[in-house]
Amino acid sequence: MSAYPNATATTSTDAASARTGADACCDGPLPVLGRDVTVPLVTGGEVTYAALDYAASAPALQRVWDDVAAYAPYYGSVHRGAGYLSQLSTDLFEQSRVTVHEFLGCRPSDQVIFTRSTTDSLNLLAQVLPAGCQVFVFETEHHASLLPWRDARVTYLNAPRTPEQAVETLERALADRDPHGPALVCVTGASNVTGELWPVRELAAAAHAHGARIVLDAAQLAPHHPVSVTELDVDWVAFSGHKLYAPFGSGVLAGRADWLQDAEPYLAGGGASRKVTRRVSGEGAGGVDVEWHTTAARHEAGSPNVIGVYSIASACRALTEAGFDRLVAREQELVRRVREGLADVPEVRILSLFGDDAPRVGVISFVVDGWNSSHFAAALSAEYGIGVRDGLFCAHPLVRTLLGSAPQEPGECGAPEAAPGERSLNAIRVSFGAGTPDEHVERFVGAVRELVADGAKWQYRTEEGRCVPAV
């Protein structure tokens, strides 16, 4: 409890709670920053920007921005300040930890560590693995969860084509491992390429049955579905604030404390250390002896990003109050509209691992016959004011697997360079969520139909590897 309850009430949740409850009970999108921004079109005029790249970074909720703005005048140093604002900021920071712990349904003994991102969280976990730990990871992972394990013994698992096959593949791999050493499974909750949900609970059961632990990359899951560490029975979960409608570059690693407490700090510095003394005699005289914290502070060296952390907590509260049941139902309606709209265009092929009936979040990737994906994405932006993503989405092995049977794409504007002997491959990704208006989805589907039927209205050229309108 804060030593300054009145100030905390002024700067934190009451700022948002005092507003109308319409944001949490309406059937439309949640208000986000940028919803009224207009952008110019190369064909003339302006249009409201349709942000359909949520899988990269979701727009900040207006609620989050308002909460941060209310707190900003009270900003102060965290943990080591004696002043009024420092004490208030420390309370806000630690209360945010409690909020995230509750949002994730953590076990009482679990730690919540604040990081810079999902990538940072998983690299932290990679640094605290016990000696000899074997890591199992599917090739379908985002690079944030595919690449951090370079110093461990890593077994890369082939892309499964059904959820059941994913569980079977993991079980076979774990059955062949050294049963006496530590092991970790890393798996995504929802694919950043296909949007498909993975069988996390079943994978966790398989891991634990073979004496392994499991970490869940929830970067694409947490913004769209409730995530419970306890119910899913995972050992750790990682996610990023900037995908959860919170800006400012913060992330979370939450879960079991033992491996984290037993390892050297991820970063050495102030805040992580409990006591530092000069060594005056014996071996290493002249150096320093350090006693590290055993709490989350052990891996949070340096001055923390208190505004980023508070924005995550605000987003957690906002999504909880809005009601995930309502948010999921509305998003699934948008998913249905987009998939049905794309299915009506024969030239479009939607990328999928698990098939059309697989449950998924609002992330859909596709290719269009006769178009390079960079060219198509550029035309969506320049001629329709629609922002999507093109490329391999930091999941190169997965996208290459999904595009392996795709026809040769023409080498036109924006075609990425390929290694000798390889074809140029890339795809288009449309992604959306709680802040997406119906009109943005309808405009996107209509734009795809027009571009495929009539072609681009403008000429494009390649500039520094990107397809841009020719001027």
Side-chain angles (χ1 to χ4, degrees):
M1 192 69 179
S2 173
Y4 306 102
N6 292 333
T8 302
T10 300
T11 61
S12 57
T13 57
D14 285 359
S17 300
R19 297 191 302 273
T20 174
D23 291 2
C25 66
C26 64
D27 292 327
L30 298 183
V32 294
L33 293 182
R35 60 189 179 274
D36 299 322
V37 168
T38 59
V39 294
L41 303 179
V42 293
T43 51
E46 293 186 341
V47 67
T48 302
Y49 183 65
L52 296 178
D53 192 17
Y54 276 46
S57 284
L61 289 173
Q62 184 67 56
R63 154 75 178 271
V64 173
W65 197 258
D66 290 347
D67 280 354
V68 169
Y71 161 64
Y74 298 87
Y75 173 83
S77 63
V78 172
H79 289 146
R80 294 175 291 281
Y84 184 107
L85 299 190
S86 292
Q87 292 291 303
L88 186 151
S89 294
T90 297
D91 179 70
L92 202 72
F93 184 84
E94 292 303 332
Q95 186 57 46
S96 295
R97 201 187 305 276
V98 173
T99 298
V100 173
H101 192 282
E102 294 173 350
F103 178 77
L104 293 174
C106 290
R107 297 165 290 256
S109 60
D110 285 342
Q111 286 188 346
V112 172
I113 297 175
F114 291 116
T115 65
R116 292 175 293 181
S117 60
T118 306
T119 301
D120 195 35
S121 295
L122 293 171
N123 273 271
L124 188 167
L125 187 60
Q127 293 300 308
V128 306
L129 296 179
C133 187
Q134 188 171 2
V135 177
F136 296 84
V137 57
F138 286 93
E139 67 171 347
T140 47
E141 294 292 307
H142 184 281
H143 293 173
S145 48
L146 185 71
L147 302 181
W149 322 104
R150 297 186 301 276
D151 296 331
R153 293 186 298 150
V154 186
T155 298
Y156 295 103
L157 308 176
N158 293 334
R161 287 299 181 167
T162 66
E164 294 77 16
Q165 190 180 81
V167 178
E168 293 168 1
T169 298
L170 179 62
E171 286 181 331
R172 285 196 302 270
L174 290 172
D176 292 337
R177 81 175 187 91
D178 177 1
H180 302 294
L184 177 71
V185 176
C186 181
V187 67
T188 188
S191 171
N192 78 304
V193 177
T194 67
E196 293 162 319
L197 300 180
W198 277 62
V200 177
R201 192 194 308 269
E202 292 80 3
L203 291 167
H208 294 153
H210 291 276
R213 296 190 180 190
I214 186 168
V215 57
L216 169 63
D217 175 354
Q220 299 296 339
L221 183 63
H224 304 276
H225 276 270
V227 173
S228 172
V229 169
T230 302
E231 292 181 8
L232 293 173
D233 197 22
V234 295
D235 298 281
W236 293 277
V237 61
F239 72 88
S240 296
H242 72 100
K243 298 186 192 298
L244 196 78
Y245 311 101
F248 305 115
S250 285
V252 168
L253 176 67
R256 301 197 183 279
D258 53 351
W259 286 7
L260 295 161
Q261 292 175 348
D262 292 342
E264 289 292 300
Y266 180 46
L267 297 174
S273 55
R274 191 180 216 164
K275 183 172 69 174
V276 180
T277 57
R278 284 295 302 272
R279 191 181 303 124
V280 297
S281 63
E283 185 178 351
V288 295
D289 290 316
V290 184
E291 180 182 337
W292 303 106
H293 279 294
T294 57
T295 63
R298 186 183 188 90
H299 298 289
E300 292 178 346
S303 296
N305 180 1
V306 59
I307 288 182
V309 165
Y310 181 49
S311 71
I312 288 180
S314 174
C316 291
R317 287 191 298 271
L319 293 173
T320 300
E321 292 166 10
F324 264 112
D325 287 346
R326 180 181 76 80
L327 297 177
V328 170
R330 182 175 182 276
E331 183 178 308
Q332 289 306 301
E333 173 61 19
L334 297 182
V335 170
R336 183 191 65 78
R337 292 186 198 177
V338 172
R339 287 180 59 82
E340 289 183 356
L342 294 179
D344 286 340
V345 184
E347 293 84 355
V348 170
R349 180 167 75 91
I350 297 175
L351 306 183
S352 176
L353 271 177
F354 300 154
D356 291 342
D357 295 332
R360 65 193 74 232
V361 299
V363 179
I364 300 168
S365 296
F366 63 98
V367 291
V368 184
D369 288 347
W371 286 80
N372 178 270
S373 295
S374 294
H375 188 191
F376 200 89
L380 285 172
S381 174
E383 300 178 25
Y384 297 91
I386 299 170
V388 297
R389 181 62 59 106
D390 66 274
L392 299 176
F393 319 127
C394 290
H396 293 189
L398 170 57
V399 180
R400 290 182 181 279
T401 294
L402 295 173
L403 293 179
S405 61
Q408 177 70 48
E409 296 187 3
E412 56 186 56
C413 176
E417 294 183 1
E422 288 189 354
R423 291 186 294 115
S424 173
L425 297 175
N426 60 342
I428 305 152
R429 184 182 70 192
V430 56
S431 53
F432 40 87
T436 303
D438 292 9
E439 187 276 330
H440 290 185
V441 164
E442 293 163 1
R443 193 195 320 170
F444 166 76
V445 172
V448 170
R449 289 173 177 157
E450 286 187 11
L451 284 172
V452 172
D454 305 329
K457 301 181 182 68
W458 204 260
Q459 294 296 314
Y460 296 82
R461 61 185 175 84
T462 300
E463 182 178 292
E464 297 181 353
R466 297 295 306 165
C467 189
V468 298
V471 293

